[in-house]
Amino acid sequence: MIEQSPILEIRDLKIALPEGSDRPFALDGLNLTVKPGEIVCMVGESGSGKSLSAGAIMRLLPEPHVHVAGGSINFLGEDILAKTDREMKQIRGNRISMIFQEPMTALNPQKTVGWQIDEVLKLHMEGNRAARRKHAIEMLNRVHIPDPESAYNAYPHQISGGQRQRVMIAMALSLSPKLVIADEPTTALDVTTQLQILKLIRELQQEDGAGVLFITHDFGVVAEIADHVIVLRQGEVVEQGAADQVLNHPQHPYTQALIASVPDLAPPPPKPVSTLPVVLKGTGLKKTFAAKGGLLSGKRKAVIAVKDLSFELHQGETLGVVGESGSGKTTVSRLVTRLLEADAGAVDVDGKDLLACSPSELRGMRKHIQMVFQDPMASLNPRKRVVDLIAQGPIVHGEDPEKARARARELLELVELSPAAANRFPHEFSGGQRQRIGIARALAMEPKVIVADEPVSALDVSVQAQVLKLLADLRDRMNLSLLFVTHDLRVAAQLCDCIIVMQKGEIVEAGVTAEVFADPKHPYTRNLLSSIPGRHWTPPVRNTDAA
Amino acid sequence: MTVLDTELRPPEPSRGIVFWRRYRRNRAALLGLFIFAVVVLMALTAGFVDPGDPLRRAGDPLTAPFVDMATPLGTDQLGRDILSGLFYGARISLLVGVVATLVAIAIGVIIGALAGYFGGWVDDVLMRVTEAFQTIPNFVLLLTLVAILGSKIEWITLAIGIVSWTAPARMVRAEFMSLRNREFVDAARNLGVSNTSLIFREILPNALPPIIVYASVIMALSILLESALAFLGLGDPNYASWGNMIGQGRAVLRTAWYCAAIPGIAIVLTVLSFSLLGEGLNDALNPRQKQ
């Protein structure tokens, strides 16, 4: 193969942050090259500066606070940084285009899909309306949207999330750009959709020979799609090289730690738990969300979130509830804690039906079943000190406030936070730290069951590994029973002894995790498992202490 | 290397310091704070600066300002000292402003919190009542209340509070509706916290910032309402309020304009200071709104 001239060449790029930020440069000395037909993956945790580098290439930085302080960006041999705004307008969308993370917010909800594609074409394409329309429909066809003609006339809310991302890709590629920047394009999507979108990007890019700069935080995605990998950490490149090299023989300790944090797909050996008593039992749970029709608007169909769900959780066991968005798994977590009222069914905690309790009985029962929430930012009252947050539950249940606070300090130590954290407010902590506080709060009640609703999905991968390890540790030491809701099969594989796979409010498969993973019975489970990004790649370093 | 994520960041400066830093950034708000401080000072020192009753005769009627040093801002048609009236009037205006605002906010918070937290029929009933109040023009309702209750200063203040609670109630309701579904409320509920504590200990502190900002607006409006009542001659005649002074000065507006103009300026400045204060509070309490 002949060495082709690169599409994008970045040398020593520095991006300065405003004064008073945690570091002077968001990006310090970035070097990278994108060749035609190549997919370069930029990987890093939040705050590593990966999205800002995309902004710099598009010249869309929030100047003057954040600006390029040094280095060069060459696009097809021309210096991007020297271009005028007018010249940049010609380049953006036409020769460099971008795919965003959240297709719902990147598309204008008031305009049809066709109108929005046409808007891009109008700016950069010769030809009349009919020609543009033909081209747009051809593009929609290329991104495999079923019935492109009707999709052309649809509004963004009328098509699914995966299809919206396809529309974004069609828009991005409609002018055959030389460079496509994809900023976490699949993060907001379900795994099965994610895999389709990744394949699509791969396929279209090979047809057009464009270069792709792909920004992601997920090593599974990297393994799926990358030719070349750049690992960023706090604005500095720690390692770059061919995908195979970086993924299988990482040199830098940070890369090694990151890769080691990717949860392994091998499930834990099954525990003989079925002999232990059942601590949480759901029978025939049902929940329908009645869509409220207005006086003038027509009646809308009610949504069935959970239909006829039954399960058992044994003492000391971890039961995973997995499924894609809309499968009703979060509703399950709210039903068993009675934060939502079920339409029918029973939840037995320690032999007593929680759903039949009177309000005052319920308040007493709550100490047996505690919850760890998804969003560590939202689940801690911003106006309360950490010690009060943790001690609140025991105090409500009649514990002496002084004793409860002393116990809260002990719990902080148990979740590996310094006792100095006790008197601070939640906003002073990082996401992982907040989740630890959330876990301490749940533990303070000494519950029989802990329900964890996506407790690690808002966290960076290395922090995620630490929190998962903590949860597993505490579970083993304190013999906790966990109901663990997650969309991430890798996480489920790490932690769960048994697993329930949900689709559209129903259990499609249930069983011991190792067995379900090794031999999925239901086609949906098989589809889910085969969609896990990077499933063919086994991370080389298995260093459990790396985190 | 990855660092363990359990290392704490250095402690942040206390809330008070952060608040003051943000407030200070807005120059106009500093001016507002200054004027407000002057008005408060006037109210506090009224007895020292010009001892005695502001309603007593202090000099010849209709003395122009800066003529007689005993009455530096002149006298009205009954020979009462205008400067003294200003100082004592500041007391009444602030008193009416603060108490009426407290009444309005208290009613508004309770109604809005119940409606926003419980929703459903509670919300429907309370909001229909609120709308009923909103459809009657404020001032007409105030006149009616004063006509029924009488024009003692206590009743006037209460009546102003009663006509001003609808806006804060709607605001509190909106805040509660968005906050009640937040995870931290679910988390507290899951600990077995009662509804009353959820409303007042969990949600209300988070709903307060916009209400505090709006309180400054209500304060300004209360002072205006009181002045308007006094202007119509319905104020409490036993107190020298700015509105009373304008109302009486109106009769001699063409020959002695200063009788009405000086208290008028005082009202304008005070109301302006509240408005600027509110803007500064908004910057300091809701920093994200402006960026």
Side-chain angles (χ1 to χ4, degrees):
Chain A
M1 206 173 118
I2 339 152
E3 192 66 12
Q4 287 166 295
S5 66
I7 292 175
L8 181 74
E9 206 171 5
I10 297 180
R11 289 281 156 262
D12 288 324
L13 183 68
K14 280 187 184 192
I15 298 177
L17 284 173
E19 265 177 58
S21 307
D22 59 334
R23 55 183 201 251
F25 294 103
L27 209 56
D28 195 353
L30 173 72
N31 286 302
L32 84 92
T33 315
V34 182
K35 294 192 203 101
E38 188 182 48
I39 297 184
V40 176
C41 268
M42 209 186 261
V43 208
E45 299 192 289
S46 49
S48 59
K50 49 194 196 306
S51 287
L52 278 181
S53 54
I57 298 166
M58 296 291 268
R59 286 268 303 277
L60 288 173
L61 290 178
E63 292 184 36
H65 309 294
V66 180
H67 59 93
V68 174
S72 66
I73 303 176
N74 272 306
F75 174 64
L76 296 175
E78 291 174 63
D79 187 5
I80 288 263
L81 297 176
K83 298 263 183 219
T84 62
D85 281 350
R86 179 186 287 267
E87 286 171 319
M88 274 317 293
K89 276 190 192 142
Q90 277 306 309
I91 292 179
R92 278 185 218 133
N94 191 7
R95 290 156 73 197
I96 307 180
S97 63
M98 198 153 171
I99 305 170
F100 295 91
Q101 174 170 356
E102 185 45 79
M104 194 65 214
T105 50
L107 288 170
N108 182 347
Q110 295 273 311
K111 303 284 183 189
T112 62
V113 164
W115 189 91
Q116 298 187 53
I117 300 180
D118 195 55
E119 194 187 24
V120 182
L121 297 180
K122 233 190 292 183
L123 285 173
H124 300 293
M125 201 175 116
E126 306 285 318
N128 57 15
R129 234 183 110 75
R132 292 201 303 266
R133 186 186 151 87
K134 191 165 160 274
H135 184 70
I137 288 177
E138 197 180 300
M139 279 314 296
L140 289 174
N141 206 7
R142 270 186 75 194
V143 294
H144 309 303
I145 282 189
D147 196 3
E149 295 271 351
S150 89
Y152 186 88
N153 292 322
Y155 286 92
H157 67 268
Q158 293 172 324
I159 56 180
S160 73
Q163 287 186 9
R164 281 196 286 270
Q165 197 57 289
R166 284 169 196 271
V167 169
M168 286 301 296
I169 294 172
M171 264 164 90
L173 296 181
S174 57
L175 294 155
S176 308
K178 290 286 171 233
L179 178 68
V180 179
I181 300 173
D183 189 357
E184 305 255 12
T186 59
T187 307
L189 303 175
D190 283 327
V191 272
T192 47
T193 327
Q194 166 167 305
L195 186 72
Q196 293 164 9
I197 295 289
L198 289 178
K199 277 186 180 159
L200 178 71
I201 292 178
R202 188 34 120 199
E203 175 191 321
L204 294 175
Q205 173 260 353
Q206 276 169 353
E207 283 172 23
D208 286 2
V212 176
L213 181 62
F214 195 102
I215 296 170
T216 181
H217 67 281
D218 187 341
F219 264 98
V221 172
V222 175
E224 200 68 40
I225 199 169
D227 296 316
H228 190 91
V229 182
I230 294 170
V231 184
L232 280 179
R233 179 191 171 210
Q234 305 228 322
E236 284 170 40
V237 176
V238 297
E239 183 161 359
Q240 65 171 310
D244 175 56
Q245 175 70 30
V246 174
L247 288 173
N248 297 322
H249 311 283
Q251 300 301 315
H252 194 279
Y254 178 70
T255 320
Q256 287 170 357
L258 266 189
I259 289 179
S261 311
V262 177
D264 202 346
L265 261 178
K271 268 196 255 177
V273 281
S274 46
T275 53
L276 290 168
V278 175
V279 285
L280 178 69
K281 186 173 156 202
T283 356
L285 287 172
K286 261 189 204 125
K287 179 73 189 173
T288 312
F289 288 107
K292 218 169 138 187
L295 193 62
L296 297 173
S297 59
K299 281 244 157 54
R300 284 164 53 205
K301 260 205 301 193
V303 182
I304 301 170
V306 172
K307 47 183 166 192
D308 199 20
L309 179 102
S310 302
F311 65 91
E312 280 185 355
L313 174 65
H314 297 272
Q315 171 77 49
E317 182 190 40
T318 303
L319 177 65
V321 180
V322 300
E324 297 189 291
S325 55
S327 63
K329 55 188 193 306
T330 295
T331 310
V332 171
S333 74
R334 305 274 150 150
L335 288 182
V336 299
T337 49
R338 209 173 153 186
L339 288 174
L340 266 180
E341 295 292 337
D343 296 338
V347 175
D348 291 316
V349 181
D350 212 25
K352 195 167 178 200
D353 185 3
L354 195 68
L355 302 191
C357 284
S358 71
S360 62
E361 279 175 326
L362 175 66
R363 282 217 297 278
M365 284 292 284
R366 288 219 186 268
K367 67 170 181 277
H368 298 308
I369 179 159
Q370 278 302 302
M371 191 154 178
V372 177
F373 291 84
Q374 170 169 15
D375 185 348
M377 310 277 178
S379 64
L380 300 174
N381 189 337
R383 306 249 156 197
K384 287 198 163 168
R385 290 178 195 279
V386 167
V387 61
D388 295 325
L389 281 168
I390 299 175
Q392 187 182 19
I395 292 175
V396 166
H397 287 276
E399 174 79 311
D400 173 55
E402 275 317 303
K403 269 192 207 154
R405 290 204 182 89
R407 169 103 181 102
R409 284 169 216 274
E410 285 167 31
L411 281 167
L412 278 177
E413 218 161 304
L414 193 67
V415 295
E416 296 161 14
L417 278 176
S418 130
N423 291 321
R424 302 233 188 137
F425 287 96
H427 70 107
E428 297 181 57
F429 296 90
S430 69
Q433 291 170 344
R434 285 183 225 203
Q435 205 52 295
R436 285 167 196 270
I437 297 169
I439 294 170
R441 172 170 63 185
L443 290 175
M445 302 287 272
E446 296 175 2
K448 301 218 161 55
V449 182
I450 291 184
V451 178
D453 181 12
E454 302 263 16
V456 294
S457 61
L459 306 176
D460 274 331
V461 59
S462 63
V463 178
Q464 177 179 326
Q466 293 173 26
V467 173
L468 281 178
K469 187 161 164 279
L470 174 73
L471 264 179
D473 246 25
L474 290 172
R475 175 193 61 184
D476 297 342
R477 264 162 58 192
M478 305 171 76
N479 200 18
L480 299 173
S481 319
L482 279 177
L483 184 70
F484 194 91
V485 175
T486 182
H487 71 284
D488 189 335
L489 291 163
R490 285 179 181 274
V491 170
Q494 281 280 291
L495 205 65
C496 302
D497 304 308
C498 287
I499 196 168
I500 292 174
V501 183
M502 289 188 68
Q503 185 192 20
K504 293 179 188 154
E506 278 181 301
I507 297 179
V508 296
E509 186 156 3
V512 177
T513 312
E515 288 169 16
V516 173
F517 271 56
D519 182 21
K521 298 276 187 298
H522 195 276
Y524 178 71
T525 317
R526 255 176 261 153
N527 188 10
L528 268 187
L529 283 169
S530 64
S531 302
I532 299 174
R535 68 215 158 276
H536 304 303
W537 165 64
T538 318
V541 254
R542 270 290 149 224
N543 173 5
T544 40
D545 302 327
Chain B
M1 290 307 302
T2 18
V3 274
L4 201 64
D5 79 314
T6 52
E7 282 160 31
L8 293 185
R9 296 176 202 164
E12 289 186 4
S14 78
R15 281 176 179 229
I17 294 175
V18 174
F19 176 85
W20 173 239
R21 266 191 212 150
R22 289 195 193 129
Y23 187 88
R24 207 173 47 181
R25 259 186 259 158
N26 187 336
R27 298 267 157 150
L30 283 180
L31 177 68
L33 188 66
F34 175 73
I35 301 175
F36 177 64
V38 169
V39 176
V40 170
L41 210 67
M42 278 167 70
L44 289 178
T45 58
F48 301 106
V49 173
D50 211 324
D53 191 350
L55 300 178
R56 123 195 106 92
R57 194 183 141 99
D60 294 334
L62 297 179
T63 313
F66 314 117
V67 174
D68 182 356
M69 279 333 281
T71 54
L73 288 180
T75 57
D76 66 3
Q77 62 263 53
L78 295 177
R80 293 177 295 196
D81 184 7
I82 292 180
L83 181 70
S84 171
L86 271 193
F87 272 71
Y88 282 92
R91 270 189 188 177
I92 296 302
S93 290
L94 280 186
L95 184 83
V96 170
V98 170
V99 176
T101 305
L102 287 180
V103 171
I105 296 280
I107 303 175
V109 161
I110 290 172
I111 301 237
L114 292 178
Y117 181 79
F118 289 107
W121 66 267
V122 179
D123 184 29
D124 282 342
V125 170
L126 291 176
M127 279 305 110
R128 291 306 87 77
V129 173
T130 312
E131 276 159 17
F133 270 85
Q134 280 183 311
T135 48
I136 309 171
N138 262 0
F139 198 65
V140 175
L141 183 59
L142 181 61
L143 286 178
T144 318
L145 284 173
V146 171
I148 298 169
L149 298 170
S151 57
K152 274 180 77 179
I153 193 78
E154 294 89 351
W155 295 124
I156 291 178
T157 312
L158 184 68
I160 292 175
I162 290 175
V163 301
S164 320
W165 64 268
T166 49
R170 287 211 160 261
M171 203 163 191
V172 173
R173 171 175 174 266
E175 288 288 320
F176 266 66
M177 286 174 82
S178 82
L179 286 169
R180 73 165 177 210
N181 293 324
R182 294 275 282 278
E183 278 192 339
F184 73 82
V185 179
D186 274 347
R189 182 176 296 137
N190 200 40
L191 292 172
V193 176
S194 66
N195 279 334
T196 328
S197 302
L198 280 178
I199 293 177
F200 291 106
R201 299 245 184 102
E202 298 290 328
I203 306 182
L204 189 58
N206 288 288
L208 272 184
I211 298 164
I212 292 173
V213 172
Y214 195 69
S216 66
V217 177
I218 300 180
M219 237 192 232
L221 288 176
S222 307
I223 292 178
L224 284 177
L225 281 176
E226 192 273 335
S227 307
L229 270 184
F231 180 79
L232 292 180
L234 295 169
D236 191 336
N238 300 320
Y239 294 91
S241 91
W242 292 342
N244 274 340
M245 292 167 77
I246 300 178
Q248 282 151 12
R250 185 181 49 162
V252 289
L253 193 60
R254 272 196 270 177
T255 48
W257 56 270
Y258 49 87
C259 288
I262 292 174
I265 291 169
I267 291 177
V268 168
L269 285 179
T270 310
V271 169
L272 178 74
S273 83
F274 282 128
S275 169
L276 295 176
L277 211 59
E279 207 172 294
L281 285 175
N282 195 30
D283 286 358
L285 293 170
N286 310 332
R288 251 158 281 152
Q289 262 181 13
K290 273 227 157 170
Q291 280 164 8

